[in-house]
Amino acid sequence: MDSVNNGFGSARMTGSMEGATGGTLPPGLTEEEAEELRVELTKVEDEIQTLRQVLAAKERHAGDIKRQLGISPLNEIKQNISKGWQDVQSSNAYLQTKEKLGQWNESITHSNAYKKTQETLSQAGQVTSAALSSMGAAISERIGTMRLGYSVHHSLSMPSMRSSPSFRSFEDRVGGLRK
């Protein structure tokens, strides 16, 4: 058998041949047919081993060429990911999902709940902006008066800021949003 294998796959051959040489043949198979199948199996396994060796040599050669071209494994991964993402984006499942999400988005943006939420957030943003602007102006004004000789404690005291119309307006609107 080693002469047929030329040293390739002989361990695998002995393992695969044991069932056929155990003395019991499958029903309807003659000894001559079994021997022909054993020879054919040996040849096929030899071819498989040869193809594996050729493939390994080709892979090494391709790796050498890539190194000479400066193609790193990282670049290959990037290219594979990019190609995969393009494949995903052109797939029917992706396109159908994208279309469905677009339809849902369209229906949501036209709903009353969405419009009310958008209006409320817009008003809250405007109120917050106005309050911060007023507070900034008040702080700037107070800092300006500090330069004139007023004490820091007196000019930035919390009770006077809380009693300002801007702060009260802000407090009322924020309190109204909680309800």
Side-chain angles (χ1 to χ4, degrees):
M1 213 182 294
D2 284 337
S3 63
V4 175
N5 282 333
N6 295 329
F8 299 131
S10 59
R12 189 174 62 251
M13 283 298 298
T14 57
S16 62
M17 296 292 285
E18 284 177 10
T21 58
T24 320
L25 295 174
L29 191 64
T30 66
E31 185 62 40
E32 293 81 28
E33 292 171 332
E35 186 58 32
E36 287 176 22
L37 289 174
R38 286 185 203 108
V39 170
E40 184 178 349
L41 178 60
T42 302
K43 288 179 184 178
V44 169
E45 287 182 340
D46 286 344
E47 290 173 2
I48 290 170
Q49 185 63 30
T50 301
L51 290 172
R52 285 184 178 143
Q53 291 173 345
V54 169
L55 178 61
K58 295 276 186 188
E59 287 174 337
R60 281 191 302 273
H61 185 63
D64 292 341
I65 292 171
K66 287 177 182 178
R67 277 188 289 284
Q68 290 173 352
L69 290 172
I71 300 173
S72 70
L74 181 60
N75 288 339
E76 280 189 89
I77 291 171
K78 287 179 184 177
Q79 289 173 352
N80 289 342
I81 289 172
S82 177
K83 174 79 170 90
W85 180 241
Q86 288 173 353
D87 291 346
V88 166
Q89 286 181 317
S90 63
S91 72
N92 285 337
Y94 178 85
L95 295 173
Q96 289 172 353
T97 303
K98 182 179 176 182
E99 181 181 337
K100 193 62 157 177
L101 288 175
Q103 291 171 355
W104 287 349
N105 186 40
E106 185 72 22
S107 65
I108 288 171
T109 57
H110 289 13
S111 73
N112 287 333
Y114 177 83
K115 289 177 183 175
K116 287 179 183 178
T117 303
Q118 185 180 25
E119 289 173 13
T120 303
L121 291 175
S122 177
Q123 289 173 355
Q126 290 171 358
V127 169
T128 303
S129 177
L132 291 175
S133 178
S134 297
M135 286 175 54
I139 290 171
S140 295
E141 181 181 321
R142 304 243 171 145
I143 289 175
T145 57
M146 281 183 1
R147 288 185 185 156
L148 298 175
Y150 288 101
S151 73
V152 173
H153 182 268
H154 176 71
S155 64
L156 290 178
S157 65
M158 207 48 155
S160 65
M161 187 179 284
R162 281 197 173 156
S163 63
S164 71
S166 301
F167 192 85
R168 276 186 276 143
S169 173
F170 173 71
E171 199 171 42
D172 291 343
R173 289 187 180 167
V174 169
L177 290 176
R178 291 185 194 157
K179 294 177 185 176

